[in-house]
Structures are given as structure tokens and as C-alpha cells.
Amino acid sequence: MNKNYIIKDNWSIIEEGFDPKHVKSSESLMSLGNGAMGQRANFEEQYSGETFQGSYVAGVYYPDKTRVGWWKNGYPEYFAKVLNAANWIGIDVYINDEPLDLAKCREVKEFRRELNMKEGWLSRRFVATLPNFIEVKVETKRFLSLDEDEVGAIQYNVTPINQDVNIRFTPYLDNGITNEDSNWDDKFWDILSVDHQHDQAYIVSKTMKTHFHVCTAMQTQVSLNGQTLHLDKTVNATTDKIEFVYNKEVGKGNTLTLTKFGGYTSDRNHDKNTLVEVSKNTLEKVSELGFEVLLNNQKQAWAKIWDMADITIDGDVAAQQGIRFNIFQLNQTYLGKDARLNIGPKGFTGEKYGGSTYWDTEAYCLPFYMATKDQNVAKSLLEYRYNHLEKAIENAEKLGFKNGAALYPMVTMNGEECHNEWEITFEEIHRNGAIAFAIYNYHRFTGDYSYIPQKGLEVLIGIARFWHQRANFSSHLNKYVILGVTGPNEYENNVNNNWYTNYIAKWCIDYTLENISKIESDYSSDYTRIMNKVKLSKAEMAEWKTVADQMFFPYSEEHQVYLQQDGFLDKELITVSDLPKSERPINQNWSWDRILRSPYIKQADTLQGFYFFEDHFSTEELERHFDFYEPFTVHESSLSPCVHSIQAAKLNRMEQAYAFYLRTSRLDLDDYNHEVEEGLHITSMAGTWMSIVEGFGGMRVVDDMLSFEPKIPEQWEGYSFKINFRNQILKVNACKGHTHFELEGDKDLKILVNGKHVTISPNSLVSV
Amino acid sequence: MNKNYIIKDNWSIIEEGFDPKHVKSSESLMSLGNGAMGQRANFEEQYSGETFQGSYVAGVYYPDKTRVGWWKNGYPEYFAKVLNAANWIGIDVYINDEPLDLAKCREVKEFRRELNMKEGWLSRRFVATLPNFIEVKVETKRFLSLDEDEVGAIQYNVTPINQDVNIRFTPYLDNGITNEDSNWDDKFWDILSVDHQHDQAYIVSKTMKTHFHVCTAMQTQVSLNGQTLHLDKTVNATTDKIEFVYNKEVGKGNTLTLTKFGGYTSDRNHDKNTLVEVSKNTLEKVSELGFEVLLNNQKQAWAKIWDMADITIDGDVAAQQGIRFNIFQLNQTYLGKDARLNIGPKGFTGEKYGGSTYWDTEAYCLPFYMATKDQNVAKSLLEYRYNHLEKAIENAEKLGFKNGAALYPMVTMNGEECHNEWEITFEEIHRNGAIAFAIYNYHRFTGDYSYIPQKGLEVLIGIARFWHQRANFSSHLNKYVILGVTGPNEYENNVNNNWYTNYIAKWCIDYTLENISKIESDYSSDYTRIMNKVKLSKAEMAEWKTVADQMFFPYSEEHQVYLQQDGFLDKELITVSDLPKSERPINQNWSWDRILRSPYIKQADTLQGFYFFEDHFSTEELERHFDFYEPFTVHESSLSPCVHSIQAAKLNRMEQAYAFYLRTSRLDLDDYNHEVEEGLHITSMAGTWMSIVEGFGGMRVVDDMLSFEPKIPEQWEGYSFKINFRNQILKVNACKGHTHFELEGDKDLKILVNGKHVTISPNSLVSV
């Protein structure tokens, strides 16, 4: 229970007062990342209390040997793991030989931590009385540079208060780290060299099995009251750790500062034999710039991100802090600079969900990145899957599919499946649909069709082939059925005809056929190239079409709703409101079989389909399905409230929409699920953005036009956001009574507001 | 692939010629057991080739910490494991300091092993040329005493052939053993003492966590050409092993013999502080009797078992060997002397399926023990569950049931669930039905009703309560449904309304109500005692009845069959005959999801219900269901062919019945499933017995009378078996054209033969 200790603030995450029970939560909440690396907000100095140490290098993973109770054919041999990398932030501190350790101090006062989201840095200060009665004031600041994404910087200030003291700083690099999440307690790193030169130190190590080479490096410098000192130091090196030891007598009231630059270079970006050299040059470069200049650059880089991505909310600090926290963490996790990377469910804030990429990326994150970044970022996310197509085909082959059918993995780092619960890995196949939908969504939003003939169509064909083979004809129903699946609602396993899955399967086939036809006529050389590659016959396409045309959709005449799956109505239909509070969350209180046969829904399932394919259904249909399914929904997935918030807003149920919004935006800050210590829910944070922009703002793309239906929760005065739409930036500012639109661009933009055409000219404000 | 190396013989399992590839298979096939302990047929002397060492003490288990990929509420913390116990059979042999090791000999000739089932011993002989060119002849014999079930005996003879030699015998006890099947490679045993006195040695150890104390002991003696020697010996002891070293110069052509008695005593049967004393006395006793006398007693004990349990088959050695092998192994595994024990799927022949007791006991083993032993043995099997009732209630509580509902575990050693696949543990709940059915079956066969008011009714009430709570009302179907189950066919998981489960659930409730009513009127003091204990109201019983009366049974009008489960007809209904041979067994070739959505049936499911409740259905109905389901059945469970054999025989499809019979009776001897190295399929062996007695013999109990409809497969001349029916023994000898009946008893026995009443008088032969 960590609720309510974070101070409400528009721009910062602030903790005041030292409470050891909050250390692990704050380590998650105040995590730093710059897209290329990240780290939990661990203390620099030694800490003997409960802590979860974590430093991560983007794209560096380890294939941990799978652990299962009972092997089933098709299980992956390995489960890729986010890998805890060497610690470069460590600075042990001794005052007259007494270690500074907050768990052992006589008193810690004036403790304050701040994650400044506006400028992208983390600070900490406190006054501590050590066991030897020496009182010191400590002030630290740290950030991971957006400009130079292989380094971070730390300034660590110590001021003795009640006497003159000897201060010993021991900055170090430590590669002797382990993973919390390890199946077999294997060692993951091989240390290749531990070395130093002048004020720099380096550890080169490589991951076992995957052989990623990483150089962890640091450069350190000591100053007194701002004046650089040239202290002698001792160097201690072991097989997996290296430290510099500085000693300095410091009079009371004076401030000794250790400035430490550090970070990682890896052979993902450089020749493995040059890593020390690259690290050396980078450290020299940033150290010449100096801490303050680098920090200033950091502020500017974040200002640029915020200028585009910020959402303001007037009159509700909790909501404002929530959305900024979400936007900040998304940008810390993924910036779209590297098409080999993707958005892990915990980003750089923890190890859980080991693999990096889930369907979350396509279903939840893509809209955020499309609207707040250059369209190449969204394209990178699509290309990630294109680059994994071959592995998706291999994955499907392992499960008995053939002829180029592709099943994308449920969880992956490198395109291979690395999750191994059969009910998820083998059956939660709807993920394939989200990957196809993302291609459609990208085209719809950006207007850039070129991606489809270039790359997307091959992905679509692999996916269509999968659905065609995965459905089977039921002579009983005289329809095609899809048996044995798990839908988005993971509280049902191995069900038949999950409506969402059947619907998206049919849609995938139809959409693929439509694109094949378009590319055949408009992009004939791409058409020839692709058809030669995939060997797709008219006969096979005709078979696909039969499956799509004759797909079965379970429907209840009585309730006038599509059924989540064939057997849904046979369940005991007791709503969530009749469930005792003590039994919730059910995933912590009920046995699995009981959950499975209950009507309770973990996250939007049928309603997820209504979200994706909104324009296929009337508002009345949406309302009927919302009224039928929401009462059974326990929202025990972080991905659930955002979709419901958007739909509630559409149905003008603003109180409900607002409640769902708060639940999604402050999920981690208020620790709804009692698990923030393990890390943050990064991918669902994009859903928070959608809740405002698509939910309250009502933004859609209709016939190549942005469309809005702005609504404002009662608790707010108003809100604003910006949308990068086809290289013009539209600022939307919703106030009570009217909405202002402003365009940064060079040509008029036609939009729809509440169904009416409005033209916005560059650099002028239009109020509607 | 071990097929066909076992020599066909009426009474023995024989292997000739040494082939290292057969070592592990023969270790399984020639396992020894006496109900209280057992061991794989490991060589006594050191063997550096591939081997699977296993010695087991009945009832001594270890709760290994569960290993799962993803924890789900309700999972048991521990998985009880059959525990590899200390090795007491070991005798290392050195000839002129050269170890005798069959994997390292220059030549091994005249190798022959025989498991003599008639007399209950294992022998081995060979002539080996050692690396030092010395040729020796070795002859060994070993058995586990039925009379003295805490000891076994070994005679180990070595005769140098080509020169005079020094022979060193090093008999030992070794508690430094591990389990092949261990989740975490934990150490399972704590060694408490290693000691010796005169010619005896003892290791006392206790199992970790469960704290079973076991004394493993041996007494050894050396003789030359049959004359006892009084050799000096050296004693070597370490922390977990003790050995005696005997040296003797032996002229060529002379035979040096080591006689070793050994075994286990445990605090399951004795005070833990007296174990060494008990072992000492037992060893002294058997050593005074001597090897030959003890062996003679063994022959007599087995003769007594065979006299009752033997089945003869004329004209088909393979079939004869098969059935005797099955009867022999069943008797080695469980003799019914100890109500705390039960019948593990692998008996004492391997570690797989860790826990000891499955529904196999009630569904398959009970009829064999009822008909071939005193009825107390069957009663012991029922009491085993009665004694676990409290734990079954606790188990159900963990899953959210209340008010005394009992769910018996899928796998258990001590009444606690110790299996942890959710689809089995939580969903394969039909096991509860088999446990109730066994009570009915016991009463039907033995006529002993007293067990039900004494103990059985409480079990029935717990089970009926479970079914009542587990079913839910479907307003959609206006019936009670049972959702989310796995039926006997484990190739479907989490299905709705498995017909077998629903049927047996309804039957359990009806049968329980019927017995409550009978006990209320006929056993009023038992009634009062039980009702006070279980607090069962008329209202609750009325609710049960509603569920039973309104139970839903999926049915196909088109096929006129009950459906295995709601969704069966939506599957792609391709029969097994259309399945390429290369894809079978599907559990080794198909991914799990593909198996689950296929129509393929692992073992009798709907047909299992037709087997249990045969008299509820007409032969035409049986035929229709057999014709519908058998073509989809892959028989990939050892429990499948026997039920199909019985039903094929009933339907006069004798060729098919015979094929199923061979498959069940020689499953391990011919290694159909390519896994005999891991141990034998003990529980399915009882199904083999049923295939002959109930299948070919057509034996049933009808209105307190035995009924027969004997049929003979074309390949046989005839067959015979005996049935212990209510303390009279009926011998049935089926020949072509007629069947002879003979009665050992003291009063006339009325039976039905092909529907006609026949009266058999004691000690006279009736031919029909």
C-alpha cells in the first residue's frame, strides 16, 4: 500500500520524508530512461535496507532457459529476459570511515526526492546523522542524457554540518549483479576485462548465450565548493568490479562534490573491439562539456518533447500529474530512434514480463507515438514486426501451420516466442490481429500508403494465411469457427469463437485481400515482387475469402449482443457489484478454475473490438454491449480502464469516463494493483493518453480528416493537447463552452468538430 | 524401441544376450517389489553404462517444492515425490583389483536375465572377460521377500574360469542417492547415523520435511563352493555410505559366493528409536533361515497368490506372458496389507507421476483386487479415501467451495493435492465421481453394505456437496451446467458440460440421496452420528436433487449420441485413420493447442461412462457411441485400450477386442509408448485383467449374482480365471464350445451364464 505518499504537483513526482517502506516503490516511480538505457531510482551510496537494484541496456537480453511444470510440444526453449546490467551509478560514501547508509543512520531529516519530469532529472537531498554522530547534508542530482544516450551524469554533494570530517568517495562500476527474475539462478554475464585509465574506468562484459558485448564506463571528478580538486586516488579492481577511492578532509560547512559520468556502449551500435575507445571518447566529450551544460541540454531536449507531447489539464493537479507522468515514462522508454527496439511493458523500471514486446505496442502505444512524434517513429514500430516476419512464420510452423502462415509471438525480444503458458502462447492468437490493425491504423492516420506495398503487405499475407488455416469448418454450424483460443480477456482460456478473435480474423483477411487488389493495380512492381516471394495463388485467396465470408459470430438474440464466446451465457451471470470487496482482485483471491468459469472479464474483450472497429457499429450497439459487458469487468489488467474511459466518454457517461481515466493515469502513482515495487506499467500509459485525446477529446480520423467531439469532465476546467497530423501540428484546447484550435503548419487544415467541417489556417486561433 | 527382445515364455520375462541399449528397459521390466518396498532391476555390481537407479520404500515420500511457469491461486505448494531410497543391493566386485563392470568388459557372453514370475525372483548369469583378460562366470539371484517384507536377499556367485584370482567383494549401503525426478535438485535425505556390528551395517536417515525415519541395513556372508567362510573384512564408512571389503584367493573353477540380506525398516511401522534394533533382529532371523529356505518360502507365497489370481491362456504364449506380467506386477506393487498405501501409476518401477494415487485406483484397480483377494483389501482401498476426507474438504476450500464439499486430489500421497497443472488439478474433477463409484462397486460386488453407514456415506456426502456447488444454473439452457472441466480425455481442457462428468455428478448425488434415505431407515444410529457431524439439512438435500434432476447433457440429434462436451461437433471431425502415421502419437508430434482443438480422444471418455453405467444404456446405444467415438480415439493413455476391449467384446467385435487386449497386456513388454525405461504402467495392468474377465469372460454382477457371457478370441484355444465372490471361489475355464465352472466353497452358487441361471455346487464341475 503506497497510496498517497507522492506529493501532488503539476510537473514533478515528489516524496518528502524518509520511509524505508517506500524505497522500492519510489525506485520504480522515479526510474530514469533515455530510450537507450534506463535504471531504477536506486540510491548511489550503499543501502542495506530493502531495495530492488536495476540497470538496463535497451535491446540487451538473455534467453533464460524456460521453466515449466509440464512440458508441452511447441513450448519455446527459452524465455528472453530483460537483463540487469552493470551498475555504473554506485558511489559509496564514508564519513570518518563510517559508511553513509540511510538504513543505519541515527536520524534522516529533510529527506526529499524529486523526479522533475519537465527537465528530465532526479534529485535527492537529506540531512543524516551517522552512527558516529556526524551530521551531513547530502544533495544529489542525476539524469540520463537524451542528447548523448550512452551516458548519464550524477552530481553528489556532501556537506558536513557539525564538525570537520574526512570524506571518502568510492565511485565504482559493478558487473557482479544478478537478476531478480531468473529461472535457474544462472550467471548471465561473462566479464571480459576490468580496466582504468586516468579518471576513467571500464568493464567490458558479454552476455552469455546472446553474446552482447557491453562496455560499462565511468569518469569521475571531485571538487570542493565548486573548485575542481586534483586528488590522488586509489584504484581497487576485482574480477567484476572496479572502484576509485578519493579521500578528502573537509571542514564543516564546506561542500565536497563528486561528479560522475557513466553509462554503456554496446556492440549493438559499435564494433565490439572498439567499445572501450568509444566509451572513452564519449566520457571525455561530456566531461569537457561539464555537468551543468549537459543538464542544460537535457532541459532543452525535454522541452522539445514536451512542446509536442504535453497535455495540460486545468483545475485538477492529480489528473495533470498523472498524464504527465505517463507521457514522461513513455518517452523515457521509447523514442523511436532504433527500429530494433520496442516498448516493454515495464520499460526500464523492472524485470517482470521478461520479454520486451507484447501486442500492447500495436493496440495501445502506436496511436500515442503517431500523434506526438514524427511518423517515422510509428513506422519503426511497424518495421519491427516486418523484420520479425520470418521468425513469426517459423513460430507458426512449430505449431503445425504451413505455407508461410505467420503467428507473431505473444512476448518477444528478437522475434522468437519466449512465453510458455500454453493458454497464452498457443491460444492468445488475437495478437496477430492487432499487428495487422496497426498497419491499417498507421495508414489511416498518416496517409502514408507506401509502407504497405513496401513491407506491410507481406506481414498481412502471413497473418491472413494464419487465420485461414486456423479456422475450421463446422458442418454442425455451417460456418467457419475458431476453436480453442484465449481472447483479450485472459480470464477465459481455451474458449470457442471468441467474438473479438473471430471478428479481427475476418477483418484481417478482408483487409489483406483489399490491399492485394489495390497493390496489384497501383503498385505492379511491388505486386510482382511480393507474389514471387510468397507464392500466393488466386485459389488460395478464394479460400481465404470463403473463411472470412462464412465466419461464425456468436450472438444472443435475447440480449442483442455478440457473445464474448460460445459458452458465455451458460455462466452464472452475477455482476461485479455483487462481488464482495474482500474477494477482489479476484486474481489474488480466487483459484484459477473459478475465475475461468466466472463471467468476470479482466479487460475489454468484445469492447476492444468495438474500440478498434467503432465505425462498424452504431452508438446504440456500443451502448448495448457496454451495458452488457462492463458490469462483468473487473479491470484487473492495466490495459482495461482506458478503453472503457474512451467508450464511456463517447456514451456521454462523463463521471464513469473520469473514474476510468483516473484509474489508468494514476495506476502506478496510487498503486492500484499493489505491485508498483516491481516496476511501472509502461504500455498502459499510452492508454491514458488515448483516454484524453480519443476519449474526452473525441479525436478520430475520418476520411483523412481529424475529427473531434470535445467533452470535459466536471472536475476539470479544461485541457489541451497537440496532434502531429501529417506534418502539421494542431493544438487543441478544450475549455468549458468552447474549444480553441491552433495550427502550426503551412497550409490550411480541414477538420471536423462535432460533425461539422471547420478549416484551421496556420498560426491563427479558431474557437468552436 | 525395445520391442521384441523379451523372450516369449509362459512364466518368465527373459532377456538373452547383453545389449547396453536394453539395460534401462530391463531395469523397469524386471523390477521387484513386495508391496512394502521395491526396486528397479539394477545390477548389483558397479555399472558405468546408462542406468536408472531406483529403490523405493512404500509410503516414504518427499514434498518437492512445486515448479511452475506462472503461479495460479490454488496451486499446491508441494508435489509429493516417490523417493529414491538408499541402495542396499550394491556389491562391487573386483577381480585382481580390476572392477567388474559390464560396460567395460572385453566380452560378455551367455548373458541371461530371468524374472521368474511364478516364484518371484530375478536371476542373472554371464561370462565376462575383464580388461585384464581374466574370465569369470557370474550367477546371481535376488528376491524381495513376501513373508518378511522388510528384507530381500541376494546370492552373488563368481567363478574364475581361466586362472586363479583374487576376488574382492564390496557389499555396501549407499544413502548418497538422488532422484531423477527432482524439481530443484534439492537433497532429500538427512543422514543420521552410519554404523555396523559384526556382519551387519546400518544407515539411519530421515527424509527432509516429511521426517520419515528409515534404517537401511544389510548382513553379508561369504562362502566358497557352498562352505561358509569366516573372512576378515575391512569396513569403510563415509557420511552416507558404508561398505564391507572381503578378499579371497579363489582357484579357477571354484565359486565364491556373497550372500547379502538387506532392506528397510521405517518409523511408519516402528518406533523411530528402535529401527536399528528391528533391522538387526530381522536380518538375524532371515540369515538364520538362510537363503534357500527364504527362497522356498517365497515360492510358496507366490504360489498362493497365483492360485487365486492366475489367468491361463491356451494357445497364445504372448498373451499368456502379458497377462501374467500384469498380474505379477500388480501384486508386487500392492497387496492390500496396509491401508495407508495405494497403487502408484509406476509402482516401484520408476519415479514418474511422483504422487502415488490417481483415480486409476478406483476406476481400474479396484475390480482386480476385489476379485482376486479377500474383500478387506478392497475395503482398505476405500478406507484410504475415507481417511483423506478431511484433506479433500480442505482442498475444496482452497478452491472456494464450502460447507464440507470435498474435492479429492488428482494425485496424492497423503491426501493433499500435489499436482499443479491447472487444467488437471482444478478441472479434472471427475475423479470425485470414480471415488463414489468405487463405493457402489464394492457394495455391488461384495454385498457388504456395512462400509457405507460406517464410513462411505461421509465420503459420498462430501462429494455430493461438491457437485452441487460446482454446477451452476444456466438461465440460457434452463438446466444446471458444469463449466470449465477436463474429462477423462485429457486432450480437451476447460470444456463445458463434459458428458461423463455431468453424468457421474448427477449419479453421485442420486446415489448419495438414496443411501442417506436407506441409512436413515435401516441404520438409525449411524444416521444420527453422521448427520450430527456433517450438518446436512433436508433443504440442502432438496437443492442437490434439483441440480441432479435438472442436469444438462449435451446430445446430438443428428448422430443420436451424447456429446463428449458442448463444442465437440464444431471440431473438424477427421478420424484417426486419416491421420498420417508420422504424426502419431500426437502428444509427441503436435502442439498442445492443436491437440486440444482436434477431435482426437486420448482415452475412453463418454465410453468410460458407458463402461461404468452400462446397465443404464442399451447395447444399441453402446454400439452407436462406440462407433462414433472410437474412430477419434488415439489411445495415447495406457488406460484406454482395456475399456475399448471390454466394449468391443460385448459388441462381438472379437478381432478388435483382441487387438485392444494385446495392446494393453503387452504395453510395457512391447514398449508401445517408447517410455518403458522410465518405469511400468502399473495401474493400467488392472485394466488388462478386466479385458479378459469382464471383456472376454463377460463377467458382471447382476442382482447379487455373478453373470458371464464367455467369448474366445480366435487366436486362443481357451482361458481360465478365478473369482473370489463373497468368500467362495469360482473357477471359470472357457474353452471353445463350452465353459467349465468349478466352485471352491461350501454352498451352492447361483450364477448367470449367457443370461441363464446355472447353479454350481461346491467341488463339482459344471460345463455350460
Side-chain angles (χ1 to χ4, degrees), chain A residues 420-590:
Chain A
N420 53 42
E421 284 184 295
W422 66 263
E423 59 274 25
I424 303 292
T425 310
F426 297 164
E427 297 207 329
E428 202 171 333
I429 53 177
H430 67 77
R431 58 195 186 246
N432 247 9
I435 288 163
F437 186 81
I439 294 172
Y440 162 78
N441 201 5
Y442 170 82
H443 171 226
R444 176 174 65 174
F445 189 88
T446 66
D448 168 26
Y449 190 76
S450 68
Y451 177 72
I452 302 183
Q454 279 164 24
K455 297 182 171 171
L457 188 65
E458 290 177 53
V459 171
L460 293 174
I461 289 170
I463 288 173
R465 280 179 155 155
F466 173 81
W467 290 122
H468 162 236
Q469 292 174 34
R470 185 60 170 72
N472 70 273
F473 187 71
S474 162
S475 48
H476 171 63
L477 293 167
N478 201 26
K479 290 276 183 186
Y480 282 87
V481 293
I482 301 183
L483 305 181
V485 306
T486 294
N489 170 27
E490 290 173 332
Y491 287 175
E492 286 186 328
N493 289 155
N494 198 44
V495 297
N496 296 335
N497 295 311
N498 168 257
W499 178 83
Y500 172 80
T501 303
N502 287 21
Y503 198 86
I504 209 164
K506 172 190 163 57
W507 176 86
C508 284
I509 292 177
D510 289 341
Y511 181 65
T512 304
L513 289 172
E514 185 187 301
N515 279 286
I516 289 172
S517 162
K518 178 165 174 164
I519 289 166
E520 182 175 15
S521 60
D522 301 353
Y523 300 81
S524 65
S525 77
D526 284 316
Y527 180 80
T528 310
R529 173 181 55 78
I530 294 167
M531 291 298 138
N532 280 337
K533 189 169 170 189
V534 303
K535 313 247 179 295
L536 177 63
S537 67
K538 296 281 174 196
E540 187 184 343
M541 284 190 271
E543 279 179 34
W544 295 2
K545 194 158 162 29
T546 307
V547 170
D549 288 350
Q550 297 181 39
M551 185 65 77
F552 175 70
F553 299 108
Y555 188 78
S556 163
E557 290 297 339
E558 183 192 346
H559 300 281
Q560 296 274 303
V561 294
Y562 290 106
L563 290 175
Q564 188 167 286
Q565 45 97 359
D566 280 354
F568 192 79
L569 283 190
D570 290 333
K571 296 186 166 196
E572 195 169 24
L573 297 173
I574 299 174
T575 62
V576 177
S577 58
D578 289 324
L579 205 53
K581 239 197 165 122
S582 62
E583 299 190 5
R584 297 185 62 185
I586 58 171
N587 69 11
Q588 287 173 27
N589 290 289
W590 280 19

Side-chain angles (χ1 to χ4, degrees), chain A residues 67-69 72-73 401 421-423 470 472 474 476-477 493-494 570 587-588 590-592 596-597, chain B residues 67-69 72-73 184 401 421-423 470 472 474 476 493-494 570 587 590-592 596-597:
Chain A
R67 199 179 86 201
V68 289
K72 293 189 164 80
N73 284 312
F401 299 90
E421 284 184 295
W422 66 263
E423 59 274 25
R470 185 60 170 72
N472 70 273
S474 162
H476 171 63
L477 293 167
N493 289 155
N494 198 44
D570 290 333
N587 69 11
Q588 287 173 27
W590 280 19
S591 70
W592 190 240
L596 290 182
R597 63 180 186 272
Chain B
R67 198 178 86 202
V68 291
K72 293 189 162 81
N73 285 312
W184 299 96
F401 298 89
E421 285 184 296
W422 64 263
E423 59 275 25
R470 184 59 170 74
N472 71 274
S474 162
H476 171 61
N493 289 154
N494 197 43
D570 290 334
N587 70 10
W590 281 19
S591 70
W592 189 239
L596 289 182
R597 64 180 186 272

Side-chain angles (χ1 to χ4, degrees), chain A residues 570, chain B residues 472 474 477 480-485 495-502 551-554 563-567:
Chain A
D570 290 333
Chain B
N472 71 274
S474 162
L477 293 169
Y480 281 87
V481 293
I482 300 183
L483 305 180
V485 305
V495 297
N496 296 335
N497 296 311
N498 168 258
W499 178 83
Y500 172 80
T501 304
N502 288 21
M551 185 64 77
F552 176 70
F553 300 106
L563 290 174
Q564 188 167 286
Q565 45 97 0
D566 279 354

Side-chain angles (χ1 to χ4, degrees), chain A residues 151-282:
Chain A
V151 288
I154 304 170
Q155 212 167 55
Y156 198 104
N157 302 293
V158 181
T159 311
I161 292 178
N162 60 348
Q163 64 176 85
D164 301 348
V165 299
N166 171 281
I167 296 178
R168 187 156 90 241
F169 279 137
T170 309
Y172 62 85
L173 304 175
D174 182 7
N175 212 152
I177 37 77
T178 55
N179 257 43
E180 294 248 323
D181 180 19
S182 160
N183 287 343
W184 300 96
D185 292 331
D186 284 352
K187 221 180 136 223
F188 291 167
W189 290 96
D190 250 340
I191 316 294
L192 302 180
S193 69
V194 176
D195 210 351
H196 72 104
Q197 199 179 11
H198 309 302
D199 294 326
Q200 295 186 349
Y202 327 96
I203 296 182
V204 179
S205 54
K206 71 170 184 186
T207 55
M208 292 177 175
K209 296 185 194 166
T210 34
H211 302 302
F212 288 110
H213 287 66
V214 173
C215 174
T216 308
M218 68 173 181
Q219 174 159 348
T220 59
Q221 191 191 56
V222 182
S223 55
L224 185 65
N225 299 328
Q227 296 301 307
T228 302
L229 299 175
H230 295 282
L231 294 181
D232 283 341
K233 66 173 185 294
T234 311
V235 180
N236 298 320
T238 66
T239 49
D240 54 15
K241 187 174 175 181
I242 183 163
E243 62 184 27
F244 293 164
V245 184
Y246 298 98
N247 272 288
K248 177 68 185 165
E249 306 300 320
V250 179
K252 79 176 166 181
N254 291 288
T255 299
L256 191 73
T257 302
L258 183 90
T259 303
K260 183 176 185 180
F261 298 101
Y264 311 102
T265 54
S266 89
D267 64 351
R268 292 182 69 257
N269 303 309
H270 308 282
D271 182 304
K272 71 179 178 201
N273 299 310
T274 65
L275 295 181
V276 169
E277 193 60 25
V278 175
S279 288
K280 181 170 175 272
N281 294 340
T282 307

